[in-house]
Amino acid sequence: INAEYMGKGKVDLLLNGVTTERVGDLTLREVVHKLVGYLRQVRKPVPNMEIFLKLGFDLETQYKSLIPSLQKNPRIICHPNGFYEYRPRIQGIHSKVELMRYIQEQGSRGAKRSDLMDSYQNAKAEMDEMVKAAKEGGAGKKIRTIMNLKKKTKKKKKKK
């Protein structure tokens, strides 16, 4: 869905519960996008004042109408004390050991690579190392399957 801002009013279209209404220089959708990106980067509970200092917008005054949408957003945890935190798709993974344990628990069901990379701050780099090891034969077929890699095999032709 592509919606453009039309003049001073709201566009009659809600995108994921957030209108494209402009408050200041940003649309509400842009505010949510910047907030989620910042929270993903810091990976800790962040007070409104830090958000104001780092991103330049105040959620509790300037964007107060946005708070109900933030509370419904699956990527944001809104703490009652005015702190905001990033919520990864797969929760409870904070290290390479926990990542490997989760992958082993999933077994043949596997897991989406993007969800695993989103689980904690250094997950992407550590998964790249595991994929490299898998390609070199270190971790074997199980990791290849979980990481959504296809083992490159050539079919041998039968001789007659």
Side-chain angles (χ1 to χ4, degrees):
I1 299 174
N2 187 5
E4 294 179 12
Y5 181 71
M6 299 177 188
K8 296 180 181 179
K10 294 180 186 178
V11 173
D12 294 332
L13 181 62
L14 291 175
L15 303 171
N16 295 333
V18 179
T19 66
T20 55
E21 174 186 2
R22 285 197 180 271
V23 178
D25 294 337
L26 301 172
T27 65
L28 296 179
R29 188 170 175 90
E30 290 169 335
V31 170
V32 172
H33 181 72
K34 286 185 176 211
L35 178 63
V36 170
Y38 178 69
L39 295 175
R40 179 182 289 136
Q41 182 183 8
V42 296
R43 299 288 178 138
K44 65 177 185 173
V46 178
N48 183 49
M49 182 55 76
E50 183 178 330
I51 292 168
F52 176 71
L53 293 173
K54 298 288 183 179
L55 301 178
F57 47 82
D58 187 1
L59 294 174
E60 294 181 4
T61 57
Q62 185 181 12
Y63 292 99
K64 191 170 188 161
S65 64
L66 191 59
I67 292 178
S69 294
L70 295 177
Q71 291 170 340
K72 294 176 186 174
N73 190 310
R75 300 281 70 86
I76 298 175
I77 300 170
C78 297
H79 295 286
N81 59 358
F83 281 65
Y84 300 88
E85 185 176 1
Y86 181 72
R87 180 192 326 249
R89 289 179 190 98
I90 300 173
Q91 298 174 34
I93 301 175
H94 306 309
S95 68
K96 187 175 182 177
V97 172
E98 291 173 349
L99 177 64
M100 287 301 298
R101 185 178 304 130
Y102 181 83
I103 290 170
Q104 289 170 349
E105 288 171 359
Q106 294 304 302
S108 62
R109 291 180 301 201
K112 287 178 97 175
R113 186 175 184 182
S114 60
D115 291 349
L116 293 170
M117 290 190 319
D118 184 55
S119 61
Y120 66 101
Q121 200 161 16
N122 295 327
K124 183 180 183 328
E126 292 177 356
M127 285 181 58
D128 289 343
E129 288 176 22
M130 289 189 284
V131 169
K132 184 178 177 184
K135 285 182 178 179
E136 294 170 356
K141 184 178 177 183
K142 189 171 187 178
I143 294 293
R144 273 190 210 93
T145 303
I146 293 169
M147 298 301 189
N148 300 326
L149 294 176
K150 294 180 180 176
K151 185 176 178 182
K152 296 179 181 178
T153 57
K154 294 181 181 178
K155 294 182 179 180
K156 294 181 182 179
K157 294 183 180 179
K158 293 182 181 180
K159 293 180 182 180
K160 293 183 180 181

Tab-separated table of all heavy atoms in Angstrom, residues 44-88:
chain	number	residue	atom	x	y	z
A	44	LYS	N	18.438	-2.303	25.131
A	44	LYS	CA	18.238	-2.144	26.569
A	44	LYS	C	17.043	-1.228	26.770
A	44	LYS	O	16.648	-0.515	25.845
A	44	LYS	CB	19.479	-1.560	27.238
A	44	LYS	CG	19.792	-0.148	26.779
A	44	LYS	CD	20.974	0.457	27.500
A	44	LYS	CE	21.114	1.919	27.053
A	44	LYS	NZ	22.117	2.613	27.797
A	45	PRO	N	16.444	-1.210	27.965
A	45	PRO	CA	15.363	-0.260	28.219
A	45	PRO	C	15.897	1.173	28.136
A	45	PRO	O	16.935	1.498	28.708
A	45	PRO	CB	14.912	-0.590	29.642
A	45	PRO	CG	15.363	-1.993	29.874
A	45	PRO	CD	16.626	-2.145	29.076
A	46	VAL	N	15.187	2.012	27.404
A	46	VAL	CA	15.632	3.386	27.157
A	46	VAL	C	14.566	4.354	27.657
A	46	VAL	O	13.393	4.224	27.283
A	46	VAL	CB	15.871	3.601	25.640
A	46	VAL	CG1	16.278	5.026	25.356
A	46	VAL	CG2	16.918	2.635	25.119
A	47	PRO	N	14.947	5.346	28.493
A	47	PRO	CA	13.960	6.324	28.958
A	47	PRO	C	13.586	7.312	27.851
A	47	PRO	O	14.342	7.522	26.901
A	47	PRO	CB	14.679	7.033	30.104
A	47	PRO	CG	16.121	6.905	29.788
A	47	PRO	CD	16.264	5.577	29.072
A	48	ASN	N	12.430	7.925	27.999
A	48	ASN	CA	11.956	8.900	27.028
A	48	ASN	C	12.971	10.033	26.834
A	48	ASN	O	13.157	10.517	25.715
A	48	ASN	CB	10.599	9.465	27.467
A	48	ASN	CG	10.037	10.428	26.455
A	48	ASN	OD1	9.994	10.128	25.266
A	48	ASN	ND2	9.617	11.584	26.907
A	49	MET	N	13.640	10.446	27.890
A	49	MET	CA	14.609	11.548	27.788
A	49	MET	C	15.769	11.178	26.858
A	49	MET	O	16.220	11.990	26.057
A	49	MET	CB	15.154	11.926	29.175
A	49	MET	CG	16.121	13.102	29.143
A	49	MET	SD	15.464	14.601	28.368
A	49	MET	CE	14.396	15.189	29.637
A	50	GLU	N	16.246	9.945	26.937
A	50	GLU	CA	17.323	9.507	26.038
A	50	GLU	C	16.841	9.467	24.586
A	50	GLU	O	17.572	9.841	23.674
A	50	GLU	CB	17.851	8.133	26.450
A	50	GLU	CG	19.018	7.667	25.607
A	50	GLU	CD	19.573	6.324	26.049
A	50	GLU	OE1	19.505	6.001	27.250
A	50	GLU	OE2	20.075	5.591	25.175
A	51	ILE	N	15.604	9.039	24.389
A	51	ILE	CA	15.033	9.039	23.038
A	51	ILE	C	14.985	10.466	22.510
A	51	ILE	O	15.343	10.726	21.362
A	51	ILE	CB	13.627	8.388	23.039
A	51	ILE	CG1	13.743	6.888	23.348
A	51	ILE	CG2	12.911	8.617	21.713
A	51	ILE	CD1	12.436	6.212	23.655
A	52	PHE	N	14.587	11.396	23.363
A	52	PHE	CA	14.532	12.807	22.964
A	52	PHE	C	15.925	13.331	22.607
A	52	PHE	O	16.109	13.992	21.580
A	52	PHE	CB	13.922	13.656	24.080
A	52	PHE	CG	13.907	15.121	23.788
A	52	PHE	CD1	13.049	15.635	22.820
A	52	PHE	CD2	14.749	15.983	24.455
A	52	PHE	CE1	13.031	16.993	22.530
A	52	PHE	CE2	14.739	17.340	24.176
A	52	PHE	CZ	13.877	17.848	23.213
A	53	LEU	N	16.918	12.998	23.431
A	53	LEU	CA	18.286	13.483	23.184
A	53	LEU	C	18.909	12.856	21.940
A	53	LEU	O	19.619	13.519	21.191
A	53	LEU	CB	19.170	13.224	24.404
A	53	LEU	CG	18.804	14.020	25.659
A	53	LEU	CD1	19.636	13.543	26.848
A	53	LEU	CD2	18.994	15.507	25.427
A	54	LYS	N	18.646	11.574	21.708
A	54	LYS	CA	19.266	10.869	20.587
A	54	LYS	C	18.508	11.032	19.268
A	54	LYS	O	19.115	11.119	18.210
A	54	LYS	CB	19.398	9.367	20.893
A	54	LYS	CG	20.279	9.061	22.082
A	54	LYS	CD	21.723	9.308	21.764
A	54	LYS	CE	22.574	8.907	22.953
A	54	LYS	NZ	23.985	9.079	22.727
A	55	LEU	N	17.174	11.039	19.329
A	55	LEU	CA	16.368	11.042	18.112
A	55	LEU	C	15.668	12.367	17.845
A	55	LEU	O	15.192	12.610	16.739
A	55	LEU	CB	15.333	9.914	18.150
A	55	LEU	CG	15.898	8.506	18.282
A	55	LEU	CD1	14.778	7.488	18.362
A	55	LEU	CD2	16.833	8.180	17.124
A	56	GLY	N	15.555	13.208	18.876
A	56	GLY	CA	14.992	14.539	18.685
A	56	GLY	C	13.481	14.625	18.768
A	56	GLY	O	12.907	15.629	18.358
A	57	PHE	N	12.817	13.600	19.291
A	57	PHE	CA	11.373	13.718	19.483
A	57	PHE	C	10.985	13.184	20.847
A	57	PHE	O	11.586	12.261	21.365
A	57	PHE	CB	10.550	13.057	18.373
A	57	PHE	CG	10.973	11.676	17.989
A	57	PHE	CD1	10.574	10.578	18.723
A	57	PHE	CD2	11.753	11.472	16.869
A	57	PHE	CE1	10.947	9.303	18.356
A	57	PHE	CE2	12.126	10.195	16.489
A	57	PHE	CZ	11.719	9.107	17.237
A	58	ASP	N	9.972	13.832	21.443
A	58	ASP	CA	9.508	13.493	22.781
A	58	ASP	C	8.211	12.700	22.672
A	58	ASP	O	7.191	13.217	22.239
A	58	ASP	CB	9.283	14.772	23.582
A	58	ASP	CG	8.968	14.514	25.036
A	58	ASP	OD1	8.931	13.332	25.445
A	58	ASP	OD2	8.756	15.493	25.774
A	59	LEU	N	8.260	11.435	23.054
A	59	LEU	CA	7.094	10.563	22.933
A	59	LEU	C	5.983	10.930	23.905
A	59	LEU	O	4.820	10.676	23.628
A	59	LEU	CB	7.506	9.105	23.153
A	59	LEU	CG	8.427	8.507	22.106
A	59	LEU	CD1	8.875	7.121	22.528
A	59	LEU	CD2	7.748	8.465	20.743
A	60	GLU	N	6.312	11.523	25.038
A	60	GLU	CA	5.297	11.764	26.057
A	60	GLU	C	4.624	13.123	25.939
A	60	GLU	O	3.652	13.382	26.634
A	60	GLU	CB	5.902	11.546	27.436
A	60	GLU	CG	6.283	10.078	27.623
A	60	GLU	CD	6.873	9.762	28.984
A	60	GLU	OE1	6.925	10.671	29.843
A	60	GLU	OE2	7.287	8.624	29.164
A	61	THR	N	5.126	13.995	25.082
A	61	THR	CA	4.445	15.273	24.860
A	61	THR	C	4.138	15.459	23.372
A	61	THR	O	2.992	15.462	22.967
A	61	THR	CB	5.289	16.463	25.377
A	61	THR	OG1	6.559	16.453	24.758
A	61	THR	CG2	5.453	16.408	26.886
A	62	GLN	N	5.166	15.564	22.556
A	62	GLN	CA	5.018	15.833	21.130
A	62	GLN	C	4.273	14.713	20.399
A	62	GLN	O	3.460	14.966	19.520
A	62	GLN	CB	6.405	16.039	20.515
A	62	GLN	CG	6.411	16.441	19.067
A	62	GLN	CD	7.839	16.594	18.535
A	62	GLN	OE1	8.795	16.180	19.186
A	62	GLN	NE2	7.960	17.179	17.364
A	63	TYR	N	4.545	13.458	20.750
A	63	TYR	CA	3.944	12.303	20.072
A	63	TYR	C	3.112	11.455	21.034
A	63	TYR	O	3.078	10.237	20.932
A	63	TYR	CB	5.034	11.448	19.427
A	63	TYR	CG	5.719	12.142	18.281
A	63	TYR	CD1	6.939	12.772	18.450
A	63	TYR	CD2	5.119	12.199	17.031
A	63	TYR	CE1	7.561	13.423	17.395
A	63	TYR	CE2	5.723	12.855	15.968
A	63	TYR	CZ	6.944	13.461	16.165
A	63	TYR	OH	7.551	14.099	15.119
A	64	LYS	N	2.431	12.113	21.956
A	64	LYS	CA	1.643	11.387	22.955
A	64	LYS	C	0.552	10.522	22.313
A	64	LYS	O	0.241	9.442	22.797
A	64	LYS	CB	1.016	12.374	23.938
A	64	LYS	CG	0.417	11.725	25.149
A	64	LYS	CD	0.035	12.741	26.188
A	64	LYS	CE	-0.381	11.995	27.452
A	64	LYS	NZ	-0.337	12.849	28.610
A	65	SER	N	-0.005	10.972	21.193
A	65	SER	CA	-1.059	10.204	20.518
A	65	SER	C	-0.532	8.897	19.934
A	65	SER	O	-1.296	8.010	19.585
A	65	SER	CB	-1.687	11.040	19.402
A	65	SER	OG	-0.722	11.326	18.405
A	66	LEU	N	0.782	8.763	19.859
A	66	LEU	CA	1.402	7.573	19.283
A	66	LEU	C	1.568	6.444	20.306
A	66	LEU	O	1.709	5.282	19.931
A	66	LEU	CB	2.775	7.967	18.716
A	66	LEU	CG	3.512	6.982	17.855
A	66	LEU	CD1	2.674	6.630	16.642
A	66	LEU	CD2	4.826	7.586	17.412
A	67	ILE	N	1.515	6.750	21.584
A	67	ILE	CA	1.794	5.763	22.638
A	67	ILE	C	0.874	4.536	22.570
A	67	ILE	O	1.357	3.408	22.680
A	67	ILE	CB	1.806	6.422	24.032
A	67	ILE	CG1	3.025	7.339	24.117
A	67	ILE	CG2	1.832	5.384	25.148
A	67	ILE	CD1	3.168	8.110	25.389
A	68	PRO	N	-0.448	4.664	22.344
A	68	PRO	CA	-1.266	3.443	22.226
A	68	PRO	C	-0.813	2.528	21.078
A	68	PRO	O	-0.837	1.301	21.215
A	68	PRO	CB	-2.681	3.981	21.974
A	68	PRO	CG	-2.672	5.342	22.573
A	68	PRO	CD	-1.286	5.873	22.354
A	69	SER	N	-0.392	3.120	19.978
A	69	SER	CA	0.115	2.304	18.866
A	69	SER	C	1.428	1.628	19.233
A	69	SER	O	1.685	0.495	18.838
A	69	SER	CB	0.319	3.166	17.621
A	69	SER	OG	-0.904	3.638	17.143
A	70	LEU	N	2.283	2.322	19.974
A	70	LEU	CA	3.554	1.730	20.412
A	70	LEU	C	3.304	0.552	21.343
A	70	LEU	O	4.017	-0.443	21.298
A	70	LEU	CB	4.436	2.770	21.108
A	70	LEU	CG	4.941	3.923	20.255
A	70	LEU	CD1	5.739	4.896	21.112
A	70	LEU	CD2	5.759	3.431	19.087
A	71	GLN	N	2.288	0.669	22.195
A	71	GLN	CA	1.962	-0.418	23.124
A	71	GLN	C	1.482	-1.662	22.388
A	71	GLN	O	1.666	-2.779	22.871
A	71	GLN	CB	0.914	0.056	24.128
A	71	GLN	CG	1.466	1.097	25.083
A	71	GLN	CD	0.382	1.758	25.923
A	71	GLN	OE1	-0.792	1.740	25.580
A	71	GLN	NE2	0.799	2.356	27.034
A	72	LYS	N	0.899	-1.491	21.209
A	72	LYS	CA	0.431	-2.627	20.408
A	72	LYS	C	1.512	-3.154	19.471
A	72	LYS	O	1.354	-4.223	18.900
A	72	LYS	CB	-0.783	-2.214	19.579
A	72	LYS	CG	-1.994	-1.881	20.401
A	72	LYS	CD	-3.121	-1.380	19.527
A	72	LYS	CE	-4.289	-0.905	20.354
A	72	LYS	NZ	-5.338	-0.286	19.527
A	73	ASN	N	2.587	-2.408	19.293
A	73	ASN	CA	3.633	-2.791	18.350
A	73	ASN	C	4.374	-4.026	18.859
A	73	ASN	O	4.874	-4.028	19.990
A	73	ASN	CB	4.606	-1.630	18.155
A	73	ASN	CG	5.569	-1.852	17.022
A	73	ASN	OD1	6.219	-2.885	16.925
A	73	ASN	ND2	5.672	-0.864	16.152
A	74	PRO	N	4.472	-5.092	18.060
A	74	PRO	CA	5.130	-6.316	18.522
A	74	PRO	C	6.643	-6.171	18.697
A	74	PRO	O	7.261	-7.024	19.324
A	74	PRO	CB	4.806	-7.333	17.424
A	74	PRO	CG	4.526	-6.516	16.217
A	74	PRO	CD	3.945	-5.229	16.704
A	75	ARG	N	7.268	-5.143	18.188
A	75	ARG	CA	8.716	-4.952	18.300
A	75	ARG	C	9.108	-4.035	19.453
A	75	ARG	O	10.283	-3.793	19.681
A	75	ARG	CB	9.305	-4.372	16.997
A	75	ARG	CG	9.096	-5.236	15.765
A	75	ARG	CD	10.054	-6.421	15.656
A	75	ARG	NE	9.873	-7.469	16.597
A	75	ARG	CZ	9.045	-8.498	16.493
A	75	ARG	NH1	8.282	-8.605	15.458
A	75	ARG	NH2	8.975	-9.409	17.411
A	76	ILE	N	8.131	-3.472	20.183
A	76	ILE	CA	8.431	-2.527	21.258
A	76	ILE	C	7.777	-2.978	22.557
A	76	ILE	O	6.605	-3.336	22.573
A	76	ILE	CB	7.925	-1.109	20.896
A	76	ILE	CG1	8.623	-0.598	19.643
A	76	ILE	CG2	8.147	-0.137	22.061
A	76	ILE	CD1	8.106	0.741	19.148
A	77	ILE	N	8.554	-2.929	23.634
A	77	ILE	CA	8.025	-3.155	24.975
A	77	ILE	C	7.922	-1.776	25.618
A	77	ILE	O	8.926	-1.059	25.721
A	77	ILE	CB	8.947	-4.046	25.824
A	77	ILE	CG1	9.124	-5.412	25.166
A	77	ILE	CG2	8.406	-4.186	27.243
A	77	ILE	CD1	10.218	-6.265	25.809
A	78	CYS	N	6.726	-1.389	26.039
A	78	CYS	CA	6.515	-0.112	26.721
A	78	CYS	C	6.411	-0.397	28.215
A	78	CYS	O	5.419	-0.954	28.678
A	78	CYS	CB	5.246	0.564	26.230
A	78	CYS	SG	5.264	1.000	24.497
A	79	HIS	N	7.439	-0.026	28.950
A	79	HIS	CA	7.431	-0.238	30.395
A	79	HIS	C	6.584	0.850	31.061
A	79	HIS	O	6.538	1.987	30.575
A	79	HIS	CB	8.859	-0.204	30.948
A	79	HIS	CG	9.717	-1.324	30.436
A	79	HIS	ND1	9.580	-2.613	30.868
A	79	HIS	CD2	10.706	-1.335	29.510
A	79	HIS	CE1	10.467	-3.386	30.248
A	79	HIS	NE2	11.159	-2.633	29.412
A	80	PRO	N	5.931	0.542	32.184
A	80	PRO	CA	5.067	1.526	32.839
A	80	PRO	C	5.824	2.758	33.360
A	80	PRO	O	5.231	3.804	33.551
A	80	PRO	CB	4.425	0.762	33.999
A	80	PRO	CG	4.987	-0.601	33.991
A	80	PRO	CD	5.889	-0.761	32.819
A	81	ASN	N	7.122	2.640	33.558
A	81	ASN	CA	7.904	3.765	34.091
A	81	ASN	C	8.394	4.720	32.992
A	81	ASN	O	9.238	5.567	33.240
A	81	ASN	CB	9.088	3.248	34.907
A	81	ASN	CG	10.014	2.363	34.104
A	81	ASN	OD1	9.772	2.092	32.932
A	81	ASN	ND2	11.067	1.895	34.745
A	82	GLY	N	7.891	4.587	31.763
A	82	GLY	CA	8.274	5.492	30.685
A	82	GLY	C	9.494	5.042	29.903
A	82	GLY	O	10.044	5.815	29.116
A	83	PHE	N	9.924	3.807	30.110
A	83	PHE	CA	11.052	3.265	29.357
A	83	PHE	C	10.506	2.460	28.184
A	83	PHE	O	9.425	1.878	28.259
A	83	PHE	CB	11.906	2.346	30.234
A	83	PHE	CG	12.842	3.081	31.158
A	83	PHE	CD1	12.366	3.884	32.181
A	83	PHE	CD2	14.218	2.956	31.003
A	83	PHE	CE1	13.223	4.550	33.025
A	83	PHE	CE2	15.085	3.615	31.846
A	83	PHE	CZ	14.587	4.423	32.858
A	84	TYR	N	11.284	2.401	27.108
A	84	TYR	CA	10.918	1.646	25.917
A	84	TYR	C	12.063	0.700	25.591
A	84	TYR	O	13.224	1.043	25.776
A	84	TYR	CB	10.654	2.596	24.739
A	84	TYR	CG	9.541	3.564	25.036
A	84	TYR	CD1	9.785	4.775	25.657
A	84	TYR	CD2	8.225	3.235	24.723
A	84	TYR	CE1	8.754	5.644	25.963
A	84	TYR	CE2	7.192	4.100	25.017
A	84	TYR	CZ	7.463	5.304	25.638
A	84	TYR	OH	6.439	6.159	25.937
A	85	GLU	N	11.700	-0.491	25.106
A	85	GLU	CA	12.713	-1.519	24.853
A	85	GLU	C	12.353	-2.286	23.588
A	85	GLU	O	11.179	-2.459	23.274
A	85	GLU	CB	12.766	-2.459	26.053
A	85	GLU	CG	13.830	-3.506	26.001
A	85	GLU	CD	13.869	-4.347	27.277
A	85	GLU	OE1	13.059	-4.130	28.199
A	85	GLU	OE2	14.716	-5.246	27.325
A	86	TYR	N	13.371	-2.764	22.886
A	86	TYR	CA	13.159	-3.561	21.682
A	86	TYR	C	12.787	-4.984	22.054
A	86	TYR	O	13.372	-5.567	22.955
A	86	TYR	CB	14.421	-3.561	20.809
A	86	TYR	CG	14.256	-4.352	19.541
A	86	TYR	CD1	13.463	-3.867	18.515
A	86	TYR	CD2	14.864	-5.587	19.378
A	86	TYR	CE1	13.284	-4.591	17.348
A	86	TYR	CE2	14.693	-6.312	18.211
A	86	TYR	CZ	13.895	-5.808	17.204
A	86	TYR	OH	13.713	-6.533	16.062
A	87	ARG	N	11.802	-5.552	21.362
A	87	ARG	CA	11.389	-6.935	21.583
A	87	ARG	C	11.742	-7.741	20.330
A	87	ARG	O	11.117	-7.568	19.284
A	87	ARG	CB	9.898	-7.027	21.836
A	87	ARG	CG	9.412	-8.446	22.081
A	87	ARG	CD	7.887	-8.581	22.047
A	87	ARG	NE	7.172	-7.456	22.552
A	87	ARG	CZ	6.453	-7.437	23.685
A	87	ARG	NH1	6.351	-8.525	24.401
A	87	ARG	NH2	5.816	-6.354	24.076
A	88	PRO	N	12.741	-8.634	20.414
A	88	PRO	CA	13.085	-9.456	19.243
A	88	PRO	C	11.990	-10.483	18.963
A	88	PRO	O	11.185	-10.813	19.838
A	88	PRO	CB	14.392	-10.136	19.657
A	88	PRO	CG	14.403	-10.100	21.134
A	88	PRO	CD	13.599	-8.911	21.556
